[in-house]
């Protein structure tokens, strides 16, 4: 795919990662072979191994990229947030923004959790997913702690509750193929925050 303005193709690593991201999300990690990724990226198989040590390495980089993609959405929402209450909602909104992306074969829920479900226990990719989910909960906790100063136990409990609400909504949204459950979970979070 030519880069705008330069007439040059994107580097092979970028094309491979973009193709892997599309295929891993749409078809699953296990069902997506190296040949599919290289064909979609328009590169030779050797190019994949010049950029990634293995398919497992490519999967890990894909998961890191999804995490960074979500963080970018969260940061954009947080820039517009006024205070910790809206900071909590920025987390939910970032997930809704991710769900609103145009997916080639439809929305399938959290790409990180989908991949983790396919990876064996002990796989480094699962560590990436766990770290993402823990970071999301830490972000929620930081905002809730501002809302509940001097009440750290209550803040941690509420942050965990909100994280579970969000994860459950993402799981259902993935099954149903749209982000409506995430929007509903946000409304439920508003109700919880209104009770503070």
């Amino acid at each position: 795919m030519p880069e705008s303005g330069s007439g040059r193709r994107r580097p092979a690593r970028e094309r491979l990662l973009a193709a892997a991201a599309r295929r891993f999300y749409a078809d699953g990690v296990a069902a997506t072979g190296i040949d599919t990724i290289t064909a979609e990226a328009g590169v030779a198989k050797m190019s994949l191994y010049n950029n990634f040590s293995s398919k497992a390495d490519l999967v890990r980089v894909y998961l890191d990229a999804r995490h960074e993609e979500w963080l970018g959405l969260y940061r954009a929402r947080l820039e517009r947030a006024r205070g910790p209450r809206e900071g909590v909602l920025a987390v939910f909104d970032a997930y809704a923004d991710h769900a609103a992306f145009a997916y080639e074969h439809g929305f399938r829920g959290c790409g990180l959790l989908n991949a983790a479900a396919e990876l064996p226990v002990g796989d480094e990719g699962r560590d990436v997913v766990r770290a993402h989910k823990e970071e999301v909960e830490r972000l929620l906790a930081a905002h809730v702690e501002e809302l509940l100063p001097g009440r750290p136990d209550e803040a941690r409990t509420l942050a965990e509750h909100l994280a579970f609400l969000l994860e459950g909504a993402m799981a259902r949204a993935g099954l149903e193929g749209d982000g409506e459950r995430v929007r509903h979970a946000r409304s439920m979070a508003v109700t919880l925050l209104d009770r503070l």
Side-chain angles (χ1 to χ4, degrees), residues 41-192:
V43 302
K45 194 178 208 176
M46 194 61 203
S47 186
L48 185 135
Y49 292 110
N50 287 336
N51 286 281
F52 303 96
S53 62
S54 63
K55 180 181 174 185
D57 182 38
L58 177 60
V59 170
R60 187 191 48 74
V61 172
Y62 156 71
L63 294 171
D64 284 336
R66 285 208 54 107
H67 171 67
E68 290 302 320
E69 183 178 76
W70 181 84
L71 278 176
L73 294 169
Y74 165 71
R75 288 178 186 128
R77 286 291 187 158
L78 191 59
E79 284 178 11
R80 297 187 301 263
R82 294 182 316 263
R85 184 179 188 281
E86 287 188 16
V88 168
L89 299 178
V91 174
F92 282 79
D93 291 337
Y95 271 85
D97 292 344
H98 224 197
F101 278 4
Y103 291 104
E104 185 177 339
H105 296 290
F107 178 65
R108 296 185 60 236
C110 177
L112 292 166
L113 281 180
N114 292 347
E118 295 186 61
L119 299 173
V121 172
D123 188 284
E124 287 181 23
R126 291 176 66 92
D127 294 337
V128 172
V129 175
R130 184 174 57 249
H132 168 76
K133 298 304 181 181
E134 289 169 353
E135 184 167 356
V136 169
E137 192 168 329
R138 278 192 305 274
L139 293 169
L140 287 166
H143 295 304
V144 173
E145 285 169 10
E146 285 186 64
L147 292 169
L148 299 173
R151 296 158 58 189
D153 292 340
E154 287 178 63
R156 277 191 301 276
T157 298
L158 179 55
E160 184 178 42
H161 188 116
L162 290 166
F164 288 172
L165 173 63
L166 183 56
E167 290 304 321
M170 282 300 290
R172 287 290 299 274
L175 288 171
E176 294 166 9
D178 67 44
E180 183 56 36
R181 291 288 179 168
V182 180
R183 289 184 288 279
H184 184 65
R186 184 192 191 280
S187 296
M188 294 169 77
V190 167
T191 300
L192 288 170

